[in-house]
Amino acid sequence: MIQFQAIGHAETPYSDIANMPIQGAGLTDNQGRLVIAPQYAEGLDDLHEFSHIYVLFHLHRSQPGALKVTPFLDTVERGIFATRSPKRPNPIGLSIVAIDRIVENVIHVRGIDLLDGTPIIDVKPYIQAFDNIPATRDGWYERGMKPSETLSDRRFG
């Protein structure tokens, strides 16, 4: 059995899945905070030197879904692992956010797409030399959808 414990929680303006961003990339006006539990605060040392972080989180309000879904940015059913649908066999989410500042145990961020109260599982620095892979393929998404112009609805709530 695998067990994880939250290291903190998100504080965001989104209390409901409807009308929240489906991806935070490119959104600079939606700000939030990642409140890390005090016993993990020392682990934030040196994180301020990075511009962005990965946030791994528990999709705590998501229910398991089908293995085929119609994602927000498409009209065709796709395999769950070829989407970023929150209704996954293991409800783990991943976002990249920009760091504004870190004050004690709170990371102030921009580009957040998490519900208020979302449990944070882990935080990792985004490192361009490791994480920016050239000449990749984006599968069905290459058809030119615009995630920054698409909001969530109740499809996956």
Side-chain angles (χ1 to χ4, degrees):
M1 170 165 240
I2 299 171
Q3 292 185 327
F4 294 103
Q5 290 192 347
I7 62 164
H9 68 277
E11 293 181 353
T12 76
Y14 310 112
S15 60
D16 186 45
I17 196 167
N19 298 317
M20 68 177 281
I22 61 167
Q23 294 293 311
L27 302 174
T28 58
D29 58 344
N30 59 339
Q31 299 178 7
R33 299 170 3 133
L34 304 177
V35 180
I36 305 302
Q39 67 265 33
Y40 301 115
E42 185 178 4
L44 298 175
D45 286 357
D46 307 308
L47 190 61
H48 70 280
E49 296 178 19
F50 295 88
S51 65
H52 291 75
I53 53 175
Y54 287 105
V55 182
L56 288 96
F57 50 93
H58 178 224
L59 294 160
H60 67 298
R61 295 200 9 213
S62 182
Q63 300 298 318
L67 293 177
K68 300 271 284 198
V69 299
T70 303
F72 288 122
L73 299 174
D74 204 1
T75 57
V76 177
E77 233 182 20
R78 306 287 180 178
I80 190 69
F81 301 121
T83 76
R84 293 192 176 184
S85 165
K87 290 195 167 198
R88 312 187 72 74
N90 289 311
I92 298 170
L94 170 70
S95 288
I96 298 175
V97 297
I99 298 173
D100 267 345
R101 66 190 182 284
I102 300 173
V103 180
E104 297 177 359
N105 64 316
V106 179
I107 309 168
H108 297 259
V109 298
R110 289 178 285 109
I112 197 160
D113 62 345
L114 280 65
L115 285 172
D116 189 51
T118 296
I120 304 302
I121 297 171
D122 202 358
V123 172
K124 298 175 185 283
Y126 175 91
I127 301 173
Q128 186 169 359
F130 300 157
D131 301 332
N132 187 0
I133 301 169
T136 61
R137 294 184 324 225
D138 289 340
W140 61 266
Y141 178 75
E142 289 179 348
R143 290 167 190 75
M145 289 81 168
K146 297 181 179 175
S148 62
E149 296 175 11
T150 303
L151 296 177
S152 177
D153 54 27
R154 297 205 181 277
R155 179 180 335 190
F156 297 117

